[in-house]
Amino acid sequence: MSAARVLVVEHENGTGPAQVGERLTARGLDLDLCRPWAGDPLPATLDAYDGLLILGGSMGPYDEAEAPWLPEAIGLLRQAVARDLPTLGICLGMELLTVACGGTVGHSEHPEVGLGELTPLLPATRDELFAPLADLDEPVHAVQWHWEETSVPPEGAVPLLTSRRCAHQAYRVGTAVWGVQFHPEVLAGHIATWGTSDDAPLRALGLDPPSVVRRVAREDAHLRGVWGAFAERWGTVVETRRTASVRH
């Protein structure tokens, strides 16, 4: 049997799949990286894929003038939800999923940037991706980098994680479609350039960009372990669903 194939949508240079992509590739999954910002056309359907990974970007989900492919990405997410195809939307990817499913995205009252603590909610204890996080004896941290967020989740979405500043950090639609507002894919080295490019916005929030990166660096081992394992669990979902589909 050939390898499971995942469509990866990258919205902006420097926002690739990073450690999530590394973990999936190490598992043997075939990643088809599509860069519409560089002129790559998005596929019209998901017929050729076993999973969908939608990454982040500095634009918002309604910024079609800046990123004219966003409606197509939303269309792919609607297809994924209709098929219950294993899907992971990260940051902008979650915001696009929210819009695709009828929810609302708005500007964050308190933008989250840098290392942030996440709190698992009760449904997370029964979720195949998030249950191991709910069982951890230590706080769960992740990299945050967003000025927008889901204000009204899609109807029927199952809430999984929250944080002090952002109520909707992760949710599931159906049985295999997840959105996360944080960045499980990045470590300090990945966000170093973000700190430079977003210097003025970070300082407007009262943050020192180099200090933000250093704080993430101190938790790199935690981030690598927790979110690397998370990526592998998602890869297992993709592979398991594909195997079940082939059998039928």
Side-chain angles (χ1 to χ4, degrees), residues 111-155:
E112 294 178 302
V113 179
L115 195 70
E117 184 172 333
L118 302 170
T119 301
L121 300 170
L122 182 60
T125 62
R126 301 183 295 274
D127 185 87
E128 58 188 316
L129 280 192
F130 288 93
L133 276 70
D135 291 336
L136 289 177
D137 294 329
E138 60 180 350
V140 179
H141 292 93
V143 174
Q144 304 279 0
W145 210 280
H146 67 98
W147 278 258
E148 298 190 53
E149 62 190 45
T150 295
S151 51
V152 180
E155 184 176 355

Side-chain angles (χ1 to χ4, degrees), residues 155-188:
E155 184 176 355
V158 178
L160 299 169
L161 295 179
T162 189
S163 71
R164 185 171 60 86
R165 289 189 172 189
C166 176
H168 310 293
Q169 283 286 352
Y171 64 69
R172 188 186 72 248
V173 177
T175 67
V177 177
W178 289 271
V180 298
Q181 187 62 68
F182 55 94
H183 286 275
E185 82 280 23
V186 298
L187 303 169

